[in-house]
Coordinates of all heavy atoms in Angstrom, one line a residue:
Chain O
L126 N -2.0 -6.0 -5.0 CA -1.9 -7.4 -4.7 C -0.8 -8.0 -5.5 O -0.8 -7.9 -6.7 CB -3.2 -8.1 -4.9 CG -3.3 -9.6 -4.8 CD1 -3.1 -10.0 -3.4 CD2 -4.6 -10.2 -5.3
V127 N 0.2 -8.6 -4.8 CA 1.3 -9.2 -5.5 C 0.9 -10.7 -5.7 O 0.8 -11.5 -4.8 CB 2.6 -9.2 -4.6 CG1 3.7 -9.8 -5.4 CG2 2.9 -7.8 -4.3
K128 N 0.6 -11.0 -7.0 CA 0.2 -12.4 -7.3 C 1.3 -13.3 -7.4 O 1.3 -14.5 -7.1 CB -0.7 -12.4 -8.6 CG -1.4 -13.6 -8.8 CD -2.3 -13.6 -10.0 CE -2.8 -14.9 -10.3 NZ -1.6 -15.8 -10.8
S129 N 2.5 -12.8 -7.9 CA 3.7 -13.5 -8.1 C 4.9 -12.6 -8.1 O 4.7 -11.5 -8.6 CB 3.5 -14.4 -9.3 OG 4.8 -14.5 -10.0
E134 N 3.9 -10.2 -10.9 CA 2.5 -10.0 -11.4 C 1.8 -9.3 -10.3 O 1.7 -9.7 -9.2 CB 1.9 -11.4 -11.6 CG 2.3 -12.1 -12.8 CD 1.5 -13.4 -12.9 OE1 0.3 -13.4 -13.3 OE2 2.1 -14.5 -12.6
I136 N -1.6 -6.8 -9.2 CA -3.0 -6.3 -9.5 C -3.2 -5.0 -8.6 O -3.0 -5.1 -7.4 CB -4.0 -7.4 -9.1 CG1 -3.8 -8.7 -9.8 CG2 -5.4 -6.9 -9.4 CD1 -4.3 -9.9 -9.1
R137 N -3.6 -4.0 -9.3 CA -3.9 -2.7 -8.6 C -5.3 -2.8 -8.0 O -6.2 -3.2 -8.7 CB -3.8 -1.5 -9.5 CG -3.7 -0.2 -8.8 CD -3.4 0.9 -9.9 NE -3.2 2.2 -9.3 CZ -4.1 3.0 -8.8 NH1 -5.4 2.7 -9.0 NH2 -3.8 4.2 -8.3
L138 N -5.4 -2.6 -6.7 CA -6.7 -2.8 -6.0 C -7.5 -1.5 -5.8 O -8.7 -1.6 -5.7 CB -6.5 -3.5 -4.6 CG -5.8 -4.9 -4.7 CD1 -5.5 -5.3 -3.3 CD2 -6.7 -5.9 -5.4
R161 N 11.7 -10.9 8.0 CA 11.1 -12.0 7.3 C 11.7 -13.3 7.8 O 11.1 -14.4 7.8 CB 11.3 -11.8 5.8 CG 10.7 -10.5 5.3 CD 10.2 -10.7 3.9 NE 10.0 -9.3 3.3 CZ 8.9 -8.9 2.7 NH1 7.9 -9.6 2.7 NH2 8.9 -7.7 2.2
L164 N 10.0 -15.6 10.6 CA 8.8 -16.4 10.4 C 9.1 -17.9 10.4 O 10.1 -18.3 9.9 CB 8.1 -16.0 9.1 CG 7.5 -14.5 9.0 CD1 7.0 -14.2 7.7 CD2 6.5 -14.4 10.1
P165 N 8.1 -18.7 10.9 CA 8.4 -20.2 10.9 C 8.3 -20.8 9.5 O 7.7 -20.1 8.6 CB 7.3 -20.7 11.8 CG 6.2 -19.7 11.6 CD 6.8 -18.4 11.4
E166 N 8.8 -22.0 9.3 CA 8.7 -22.6 8.0 C 7.3 -23.2 7.8 O 6.9 -23.5 6.6 CB 9.7 -23.7 7.9 CG 11.1 -23.2 7.4 CD 12.1 -24.2 7.4 OE1 11.8 -25.4 7.1 OE2 13.3 -23.9 7.7
K167 N 6.6 -23.5 8.9 CA 5.2 -24.1 8.7 C 4.2 -23.3 9.5 O 4.5 -22.8 10.6 CB 5.3 -25.6 9.2 CG 6.2 -26.4 8.3 CD 5.6 -27.8 8.2 CE 6.1 -28.5 7.0 NZ 5.3 -29.6 6.6
I168 N 3.0 -23.3 9.0 CA 1.9 -22.5 9.5 C 0.8 -23.5 9.8 O 0.5 -24.4 9.0 CB 1.4 -21.4 8.5 CG1 2.6 -20.6 8.1 CG2 0.3 -20.6 9.1 CD1 3.2 -19.7 9.1
A169 N 0.1 -23.3 10.9 CA -1.1 -24.2 11.2 C -2.1 -24.0 10.2 O -2.4 -22.9 9.7 CB -1.6 -23.9 12.6
L170 N -2.8 -25.1 9.7 CA -3.8 -25.1 8.7 C -4.8 -24.0 9.0 O -5.3 -23.3 8.1 CB -4.4 -26.4 8.5 CG -5.6 -26.5 7.4 CD1 -5.1 -26.2 6.0 CD2 -6.2 -27.9 7.4
K171 N -5.3 -24.0 10.2 CA -6.4 -23.1 10.6 C -5.9 -21.6 10.5 O -6.7 -20.8 10.1 CB -6.9 -23.4 12.0 CG -6.0 -23.1 13.1 CD -6.8 -23.2 14.5 CE -5.9 -23.0 15.7 NZ -5.0 -21.8 15.6
D172 N -4.6 -21.3 10.7 CA -4.1 -20.0 10.5 C -4.0 -19.7 9.1 O -4.2 -18.5 8.6 CB -2.8 -19.8 11.2 CG -2.9 -19.7 12.7 OD1 -4.0 -19.4 13.2 OD2 -1.9 -20.0 13.5
T173 N -3.6 -20.7 8.3 CA -3.6 -20.5 6.8 C -4.9 -20.1 6.3 O -5.1 -19.1 5.5 CB -3.1 -21.7 6.1 OG1 -1.7 -22.0 6.5 CG2 -3.1 -21.6 4.6
K175 N -7.4 -18.8 7.9 CA -7.8 -17.5 8.4 C -7.1 -16.4 7.5 O -7.6 -15.3 7.2 CB -7.5 -17.4 9.8 CG -8.3 -16.3 10.5 CD -8.4 -16.5 12.0 CE -9.6 -15.8 12.5 NZ -9.8 -16.0 13.9
A176 N -5.8 -16.6 7.3 CA -5.0 -15.6 6.6 C -5.5 -15.5 5.1 O -5.6 -14.4 4.6 CB -3.5 -16.1 6.6
M177 N -6.0 -16.6 4.5 CA -6.5 -16.5 3.2 C -7.8 -15.7 3.2 O -8.0 -14.8 2.3 CB -6.8 -17.9 2.7 CG -5.6 -18.8 2.3 SD -5.9 -20.5 2.2 CE -6.9 -20.6 0.6
A178 N -8.6 -15.9 4.2 CA -9.9 -15.2 4.3 C -9.7 -13.7 4.5 O -10.2 -12.8 3.9 CB -10.8 -15.8 5.4
N179 N -8.8 -13.4 5.5 CA -8.5 -12.0 5.8 C -7.9 -11.2 4.7 O -8.2 -10.1 4.4 CB -7.6 -11.9 7.1 CG -8.4 -12.1 8.4 OD1 -9.6 -11.9 8.4 ND2 -7.7 -12.6 9.4
T180 N -6.9 -11.9 4.0 CA -6.2 -11.2 2.9 C -7.2 -11.0 1.8 O -7.2 -9.8 1.2 CB -5.1 -12.1 2.3 OG1 -4.3 -12.5 3.5 CG2 -4.2 -11.4 1.4
S181 N -8.0 -11.9 1.4 CA -9.0 -11.7 0.4 C -10.0 -10.7 0.8 O -10.4 -9.9 -0.1 CB -9.8 -13.1 0.1 OG -8.8 -14.1 -0.2
A182 N -10.4 -10.6 2.0 CA -11.3 -9.6 2.5 C -10.7 -8.2 2.4 O -11.3 -7.2 2.1 CB -11.8 -9.9 3.9
A184 N -8.3 -7.3 0.3 CA -8.3 -7.0 -1.1 C -9.7 -6.5 -1.6 O -9.8 -5.5 -2.3 CB -7.8 -8.2 -2.0
T185 N -10.7 -7.2 -1.2 CA -12.1 -6.8 -1.5 C -12.4 -5.4 -1.0 O -13.1 -4.6 -1.7 CB -13.1 -7.9 -0.9 OG1 -12.7 -9.2 -1.4 CG2 -14.5 -7.5 -1.3
L188 N -10.9 -3.0 -3.3 CA -11.6 -3.0 -4.6 C -13.0 -2.3 -4.5 O -13.5 -1.7 -5.4 CB -11.8 -4.4 -5.1 CG -10.5 -5.0 -5.6 CD1 -10.6 -6.6 -5.6 CD2 -10.3 -4.6 -7.1
K189 N -13.6 -2.4 -3.3 CA -15.0 -1.9 -3.1 C -15.0 -0.5 -2.4 O -16.0 0.0 -2.1 CB -15.8 -2.9 -2.3 CG -16.2 -4.1 -3.0 CD -17.1 -5.0 -2.1 CE -18.1 -5.9 -2.9 NZ -19.0 -6.6 -2.0
L194 N -15.2 -3.0 6.1 CA -14.7 -4.4 5.7 C -13.2 -4.4 6.0 O -12.6 -5.4 6.5 CB -15.0 -4.7 4.3 CG -14.5 -6.1 3.8 CD1 -15.0 -7.2 4.7 CD2 -14.9 -6.3 2.4
N197 N -12.4 -4.5 9.7 CA -12.8 -5.8 10.3 C -12.0 -7.0 9.8 O -12.1 -8.1 10.3 CB -14.3 -6.1 10.0 CG -15.2 -5.1 10.7 OD1 -14.9 -4.6 11.8 ND2 -16.4 -4.8 10.1
S198 N -11.1 -6.7 8.8 CA -10.3 -7.8 8.3 C -8.9 -7.6 8.7 O -8.0 -8.4 8.3 CB -10.4 -7.8 6.7 OG -11.7 -7.7 6.3
I203 N -0.4 -14.5 11.1 CA 0.8 -15.2 10.8 C 2.1 -14.3 11.2 O 2.8 -14.8 12.0 CB 0.9 -15.5 9.3 CG1 -0.2 -16.6 9.0 CG2 2.3 -16.0 8.9 CD1 -0.3 -17.0 7.6
Chain K
L126 N -17.2 -14.9 -0.6 CA -16.0 -15.1 0.2 C -16.5 -15.3 1.7 O -17.2 -14.5 2.2 CB -15.1 -13.9 0.1 CG -13.9 -13.8 1.1 CD1 -12.9 -14.9 0.8 CD2 -13.3 -12.4 1.0
V127 N -16.1 -16.4 2.3 CA -16.4 -16.7 3.7 C -15.3 -16.1 4.5 O -14.2 -16.6 4.6 CB -16.5 -18.2 3.9 CG1 -16.9 -18.5 5.4 CG2 -17.5 -18.9 3.0
K128 N -15.7 -15.0 5.2 CA -14.7 -14.3 6.0 C -14.6 -15.0 7.4 O -13.5 -15.1 8.0 CB -15.1 -12.8 6.2 CG -14.0 -12.0 6.7 CD -14.3 -10.5 6.8 CE -13.4 -9.8 7.7 NZ -13.4 -10.2 9.1
S129 N -15.7 -15.5 7.9 CA -15.7 -16.2 9.2 C -16.9 -17.1 9.2 O -17.9 -16.9 8.6 CB -15.7 -15.1 10.3 OG -16.5 -15.6 11.4
E134 N -19.8 -14.8 8.4 CA -19.6 -13.5 7.8 C -19.3 -13.8 6.3 O -18.3 -14.4 6.0 CB -18.5 -12.7 8.4 CG -18.8 -12.1 9.7 CD -17.6 -11.3 10.2 OE1 -17.3 -10.2 9.7 OE2 -16.9 -11.9 11.1
I136 N -19.1 -12.3 2.2 CA -19.0 -11.2 1.2 C -19.4 -11.7 -0.1 O -18.7 -12.7 -0.6 CB -17.6 -10.6 1.2 CG1 -17.2 -10.2 2.6 CG2 -17.5 -9.4 0.2 CD1 -15.7 -10.1 2.8
R137 N -20.4 -11.2 -0.7 CA -20.8 -11.6 -2.1 C -19.8 -10.9 -3.1 O -19.5 -9.7 -3.0 CB -22.2 -11.1 -2.4 CG -22.8 -11.8 -3.6 CD -24.3 -11.3 -3.7 NE -25.0 -12.1 -4.7 CZ -25.0 -11.8 -6.0 NH1 -24.3 -10.8 -6.4 NH2 -25.7 -12.5 -6.9
L138 N -19.2 -11.7 -4.0 CA -18.1 -11.2 -4.8 C -18.6 -10.9 -6.3 O -18.0 -10.1 -6.9 CB -17.0 -12.3 -4.9 CG -16.3 -12.6 -3.6 CD1 -15.3 -13.7 -3.9 CD2 -15.5 -11.4 -3.1
R161 N -12.0 -33.2 4.0 CA -11.4 -32.2 4.8 C -10.4 -32.8 5.8 O -9.4 -32.2 6.2 CB -12.5 -31.4 5.5 CG -13.4 -30.7 4.6 CD -13.9 -29.3 5.1 NE -15.1 -29.0 4.4 CZ -15.3 -27.9 3.7 NH1 -14.3 -27.0 3.5 NH2 -16.5 -27.6 3.1
L164 N -6.5 -33.3 5.1 CA -5.6 -32.1 5.0 C -4.6 -32.2 6.2 O -5.0 -32.6 7.3 CB -6.3 -30.8 5.0 CG -7.1 -30.5 3.7 CD1 -7.9 -29.2 3.9 CD2 -6.3 -30.4 2.5
P165 N -3.4 -31.8 6.0 CA -2.4 -31.8 7.1 C -2.7 -30.7 8.1 O -3.4 -29.7 7.8 CB -1.1 -31.5 6.4 CG -1.4 -30.7 5.2 CD -2.8 -31.2 4.8
E166 N -2.1 -30.8 9.3 CA -2.3 -29.8 10.4 C -1.5 -28.5 10.1 O -1.8 -27.4 10.6 CB -2.0 -30.3 11.7 CG -3.2 -31.1 12.3 CD -2.9 -31.7 13.7 OE1 -2.1 -31.1 14.4 OE2 -3.4 -32.8 13.9
K167 N -0.4 -28.7 9.4 CA 0.5 -27.6 9.1 C 0.9 -27.5 7.7 O 0.9 -28.5 6.9 CB 1.9 -27.8 9.9 CG 1.7 -27.7 11.4 CD 2.8 -27.1 12.1 CE 2.5 -26.6 13.5 NZ 3.4 -25.6 14.0
I168 N 1.0 -26.2 7.2 CA 1.2 -25.9 5.8 C 2.6 -25.1 5.7 O 2.8 -24.3 6.5 CB 0.1 -25.0 5.3 CG1 -1.3 -25.6 5.6 CG2 0.3 -24.6 3.8 CD1 -1.6 -26.8 4.7
A169 N 3.4 -25.5 4.7 CA 4.6 -24.7 4.5 C 4.3 -23.2 4.3 O 3.4 -22.9 3.6 CB 5.4 -25.3 3.3
L170 N 5.1 -22.4 4.9 CA 4.9 -20.9 4.8 C 4.8 -20.5 3.4 O 3.9 -19.7 3.0 CB 6.0 -20.2 5.5 CG 6.0 -18.7 5.4 CD1 4.8 -18.1 6.1 CD2 7.3 -18.1 6.0
K171 N 5.7 -21.0 2.5 CA 5.6 -20.6 1.1 C 4.3 -21.0 0.4 O 3.8 -20.2 -0.4 CB 6.8 -21.1 0.3 CG 6.9 -22.5 0.1 CD 8.0 -22.9 -0.9 CE 8.1 -24.4 -1.2 NZ 6.9 -25.1 -1.4
D172 N 3.8 -22.1 0.8 CA 2.4 -22.5 0.3 C 1.3 -21.6 0.8 O 0.4 -21.3 0.1 CB 2.1 -24.0 0.6 CG 3.0 -24.9 -0.3 OD1 3.4 -24.5 -1.3 OD2 3.2 -26.1 0.1
T173 N 1.5 -21.2 2.1 CA 0.5 -20.3 2.7 C 0.5 -19.0 1.9 O -0.6 -18.5 1.6 CB 0.8 -20.1 4.2 OG1 0.6 -21.3 4.9 CG2 -0.1 -19.0 4.8
K175 N 1.5 -18.4 -1.1 CA 0.9 -18.6 -2.4 C -0.6 -18.7 -2.4 O -1.3 -18.2 -3.3 CB 1.5 -19.9 -3.0 CG 1.4 -19.9 -4.5 CD 2.5 -20.8 -5.2 CE 2.7 -20.3 -6.6 NZ 3.8 -21.1 -7.2
A176 N -1.1 -19.5 -1.4 CA -2.6 -19.6 -1.3 C -3.2 -18.3 -1.0 O -4.3 -18.0 -1.5 CB -2.9 -20.6 -0.2
M177 N -2.6 -17.4 -0.2 CA -3.2 -16.1 0.1 C -3.2 -15.3 -1.2 O -4.3 -14.6 -1.4 CB -2.3 -15.4 1.2 CG -2.4 -16.0 2.6 SD -1.1 -15.4 3.7 CE -1.4 -13.7 3.9
A178 N -2.1 -15.3 -2.0 CA -2.1 -14.6 -3.2 C -3.1 -15.1 -4.2 O -3.9 -14.3 -4.8 CB -0.7 -14.6 -3.8
N179 N -3.2 -16.4 -4.4 CA -4.2 -16.9 -5.3 C -5.6 -16.7 -4.9 O -6.4 -16.4 -5.8 CB -3.9 -18.5 -5.5 CG -2.7 -18.8 -6.4 OD1 -2.3 -17.9 -7.2 ND2 -2.1 -19.9 -6.2
T180 N -5.9 -16.9 -3.6 CA -7.3 -16.7 -3.2 C -7.7 -15.3 -3.4 O -8.8 -15.0 -3.8 CB -7.4 -17.1 -1.7 OG1 -6.8 -18.3 -1.5 CG2 -8.9 -17.1 -1.3
S181 N -6.8 -14.3 -3.0 CA -7.1 -12.9 -3.2 C -7.3 -12.6 -4.6 O -8.2 -11.8 -5.0 CB -6.0 -12.1 -2.6 OG -5.8 -12.4 -1.2
A182 N -6.5 -13.2 -5.5 CA -6.6 -13.0 -6.9 C -7.9 -13.5 -7.5 O -8.6 -12.9 -8.3 CB -5.4 -13.6 -7.7
A184 N -10.7 -13.9 -5.7 CA -11.7 -12.9 -5.3 C -11.8 -11.7 -6.1 O -12.8 -11.2 -6.6 CB -11.5 -12.6 -3.8
T185 N -10.6 -11.2 -6.4 CA -10.5 -10.0 -7.3 C -11.1 -10.2 -8.7 O -11.8 -9.4 -9.2 CB -9.0 -9.5 -7.4 OG1 -8.5 -9.3 -6.1 CG2 -8.8 -8.3 -8.3
L188 N -14.7 -10.0 -8.4 CA -15.2 -8.6 -8.2 C -15.0 -7.8 -9.5 O -15.8 -6.8 -9.7 CB -14.3 -8.0 -7.1 CG -14.7 -8.5 -5.7 CD1 -13.5 -8.3 -4.7 CD2 -15.9 -7.7 -5.1
K189 N -14.0 -8.1 -10.3 CA -13.8 -7.3 -11.5 C -14.4 -8.0 -12.7 O -14.1 -7.4 -13.8 CB -12.3 -7.1 -11.7 CG -11.6 -6.2 -10.7 CD -10.1 -6.1 -11.1 CE -9.5 -4.8 -10.6 NZ -8.1 -4.6 -11.1
L194 N -7.8 -13.3 -15.2 CA -7.2 -13.3 -13.9 C -7.7 -14.5 -13.1 O -6.9 -15.2 -12.4 CB -7.6 -12.0 -13.1 CG -7.1 -11.9 -11.7 CD1 -5.6 -12.0 -11.6 CD2 -7.6 -10.6 -11.0
N197 N -5.8 -17.6 -14.5 CA -4.4 -17.5 -14.1 C -4.2 -17.7 -12.6 O -3.1 -17.8 -12.1 CB -3.8 -16.3 -14.6 CG -3.7 -16.2 -16.1 OD1 -3.6 -17.2 -16.7 ND2 -3.7 -15.0 -16.6
S198 N -5.3 -17.7 -11.8 CA -5.1 -17.8 -10.3 C -5.6 -19.1 -9.9 O -5.7 -19.4 -8.7 CB -5.9 -16.7 -9.6 OG -5.7 -15.4 -10.2
I203 N -2.8 -26.2 -1.7 CA -3.0 -26.8 -0.4 C -3.9 -28.0 -0.5 O -3.4 -29.1 -0.1 CB -3.6 -25.8 0.6 CG1 -2.5 -24.7 0.9 CG2 -4.0 -26.5 1.9 CD1 -3.0 -23.6 1.8

Side-chain angles (χ1 to χ4, degrees):
Chain O
L126 172 66
V127 180
K128 195 175 163 296
S129 144
E134 284 181 75
I136 304 158
R137 197 175 186 275
L138 298 174
R161 301 211 199 238
L164 292 177
E166 273 178 37
K167 294 215 160 202
I168 306 291
L170 175 63
K171 69 170 178 47
D172 287 337
T173 294
K175 201 157 205 177
M177 288 163 72
N179 282 334
T180 311
S181 303
T185 303
L188 284 156
K189 288 184 155 185
L194 178 59
N197 294 329
S198 313
I203 293 179
Chain K
L126 172 66
V127 180
K128 195 176 163 293
S129 144
E134 285 180 75
I136 304 158
R137 198 177 187 274
L138 298 174
R161 302 212 200 238
L164 293 176
E166 274 177 37
K167 295 214 160 202
I168 305 291
L170 175 64
K171 68 169 180 46
D172 286 338
T173 294
K175 199 155 206 180
M177 288 163 72
N179 282 335
T180 312
S181 303
T185 302
L188 284 156
K189 289 184 154 185
L194 179 58
N197 293 330
S198 313
I203 293 178

